[in-house]
Amino acid sequence: MSVAITGIKTNKVSQSRIQQLDHNNIQFGKLYSDHMLVAHYENGKWAAPEIVPFANMNLSPATTFFHYGQAIFEGVKAYKDPNGNPLIFRPQDNWKRMNRSAVRMAMPEVSEALFVEGMKELIALDKDWIPTADGTSLYIRPFMMATDEFIGVKPAEKFTFMIITSPAGPYYAKPVKIFVQDDYVRAFPGGIGFTKAAGNYGASMYPTMKIKEMGYDQILWTDGFEHKYVQEIGTMNVFFVIDGKAITPNTSDTILAGVSRDSVIILLREKGITVEERPLSIDEIVAAWKNGKLTEAFGTGTAASVAPIAELTYKENHIILPPVEEWKLTNWLKQELGDIRYGRKPDTHGWINKA
Ligand SMILES: *Cc1c(COP(=O)(O)O)cnc(C)c1O
């Protein structure tokens, strides 16, 4: 197969580091592929991107994003199909979301050519870095930061957009233990909860550290006004199966519109399952559990795909779900989404992009 050429200036490594990739022991986020894509924004426009060897950057200590956090990112994955061809899952949706984040953070939007075509070219070049074992992938991290060398507080005028990639090992979705947070807040109406802005994650570190010390894996955030309506989990959207229906909080300016969330909703509806996108209170979840109507609960995200929830703690309620092996929808979704992502099933939704 020939490599897609969109004419990005490419400076290839003289010596690949691919032998550093141990397929039997992939440590996500420790090893990055040979190349990265870089584009600079200045004087109101993006200069032509370049693909260059992955390397450290040289930045002034006065670079604005260090100080004021104008920084956003995305998360996408590439997989290999049974014939070894690289496939990228729904990058156009990440492109659109990156631009929604950019607008809210007073940053420039990027073109589809830069984001999607640039990504495809990078993945085609570094396709040997996509692991092939089931459950593995190449994680793709597009991101943008403000790069003015100026410590005055004002929206920046210079920005850098980059894409780096890192092999990701099989994700053993050990069912997670969830702490329902009714103290700290992740997002508030009018804020930046709907964006993948770096600061959202910085702010979540302390509450997450606290619940990990207590033996939980993740926080289920509740709304900031009443701590009554569930929102999402760490870096995942959340679904509860109650009375045979899948219920997930409707997206709003406090909830990130996950690409996995959208894919799961579409697949469930095609299977004839009712999906409700609406405010869902923690009291409704507790009541459904007490009545035996809460049968499954899971998070969705690019990193974990579909992650079953083993238990939830809310105040004095310890909600323990039935054994995951018995869950019909969650297990079916994991399989179905995997089959589509790895090209084992025909893509009937236009989700798969060949690199
Ligand atoms: C990235 C992310 C998700 C999941 O989004 P996907 O597009 O499915 O990967 C959900 N919530 C938050 C807060 C996130 O950052």
Side-chain angles (χ1 to χ4, degrees):
M1 241 183 74
S2 67
V3 169
I5 302 290
T6 59
I8 297 180
K9 190 178 162 202
T10 302
N11 175 12
K12 286 192 197 167
V13 294
S14 47
Q15 182 74 53
S16 173
R17 289 179 285 99
I18 190 74
Q19 78 286 350
Q20 291 176 7
L21 175 60
D22 176 359
H23 284 266
N24 298 316
N25 181 24
I26 299 174
Q27 295 194 310
F28 172 68
K30 295 248 164 81
L31 187 63
Y32 294 88
S33 66
D34 284 325
H35 299 93
M36 62 184 188
L37 180 139
V38 188
H40 297 290
Y41 181 93
E42 200 174 350
N43 299 323
K45 59 177 195 305
W46 287 102
E50 288 184 34
I51 292 175
V52 296
F54 182 92
N56 289 348
M57 300 157 76
N58 189 0
L59 290 170
S60 162
T63 303
T64 36
F65 84 90
F66 289 142
H67 304 273
Y68 308 122
Q70 264 183 297
I72 58 177
F73 67 95
E74 272 302 328
V76 189
K77 273 182 171 177
Y79 307 85
K80 269 192 178 165
D81 76 8
N83 298 318
N85 301 311
L87 308 176
I88 309 176
F89 189 72
R90 300 189 71 174
Q92 292 83 2
D93 296 273
N94 296 89
W95 164 62
K96 289 178 192 154
R97 188 169 68 196
M98 180 131 197
N99 282 342
R100 293 198 295 273
S101 298
V103 169
R104 178 62 180 80
M105 296 298 288
M107 301 170 83
E109 294 177 67
V110 294
S111 67
E112 187 172 2
L114 174 55
F115 189 100
V116 177
E117 298 307 319
M119 181 184 297
K120 285 185 190 173
E121 198 156 320
L122 180 68
I123 298 306
L125 181 63
D126 278 347
K127 64 176 184 305
D128 291 349
W129 288 83
I130 308 174
T132 49
D134 194 38
T136 64
S137 58
L138 185 67
Y139 184 80
I140 307 171
R141 169 53 59 86
F143 60 109
M144 194 202 302
M145 67 216 132
T147 45
D148 285 15
E149 296 174 12
F150 179 65
I151 57 168
V153 182
K154 68 172 184 60
E157 292 167 5
K158 282 163 66 176
F159 298 87
T160 299
F161 170 77
M162 303 178 77
I163 306 178
I164 58 175
T165 71
S166 179
Y171 194 95
Y172 298 111
K174 185 170 81 66
V176 286
K177 283 177 71 176
I178 297 287
F179 181 83
V180 182
Q181 183 59 261
D182 62 348
D183 187 1
Y184 299 103
V185 181
R186 191 192 86 90
F188 213 74
I192 58 170
F194 69 100
T195 71
K196 264 181 131 72
N200 281 336
Y201 304 86
S204 71
M205 300 292 175
Y206 181 78
T208 304
M209 186 177 79
K210 287 290 163 200
I211 61 105
K212 288 205 168 161
E213 284 166 10
M214 288 154 53
Y216 299 96
D217 301 307
Q218 297 274 346
I219 289 173
L220 173 57
W221 299 97
T222 53
D223 75 280
F225 286 112
E226 304 175 82
H227 289 301
K228 182 174 169 189
Y229 295 98
V230 301
Q231 306 260 289
E232 55 181 316
I233 300 171
T235 58
M236 292 189 285
N237 294 107
V238 68
F239 288 75
F240 292 87
V241 180
I242 297 176
D243 221 359
K245 293 185 287 197
I247 307 172
T248 188
N250 51 300
T251 53
S252 67
D253 57 356
T254 62
I255 294 181
L256 192 101
V259 178
S260 317
R261 173 188 183 277
D262 186 64
S263 309
V264 159
I265 291 173
I266 290 170
L267 293 177
L268 286 173
R269 286 190 176 145
E270 284 175 0
K271 196 178 161 62
I273 306 295
T274 301
V275 181
E276 294 179 0
E277 300 176 69
R278 61 167 172 85
L280 174 62
S281 73
I282 186 66
D283 295 336
E284 182 180 344
I285 295 167
V286 172
W289 171 65
K290 288 186 175 160
N291 296 335
K293 293 191 169 169
L294 174 65
T295 50
E296 306 180 33
F298 55 90
T300 62
T302 297
S305 183
V306 176
I309 294 171
E311 47 180 282
L312 291 133
T313 296
Y314 172 62
K315 299 190 197 289
E316 68 287 356
N317 300 289
H318 299 290
I319 301 179
I320 316 273
L321 280 109
V324 174
E325 299 71 45
E326 299 168 11
W327 299 11
K328 290 209 173 62
L329 291 183
T330 309
N331 292 322
W332 174 79
L333 271 172
K334 267 165 68 173
Q335 182 68 38
E336 186 73 8
L337 209 49
D339 285 346
I340 297 171
R341 284 176 164 148
Y342 290 93
R344 296 187 294 246
K345 266 200 169 171
D347 167 31
T348 56
H349 305 93
W351 288 343
I352 296 299
N353 287 249
K354 297 204 163 92

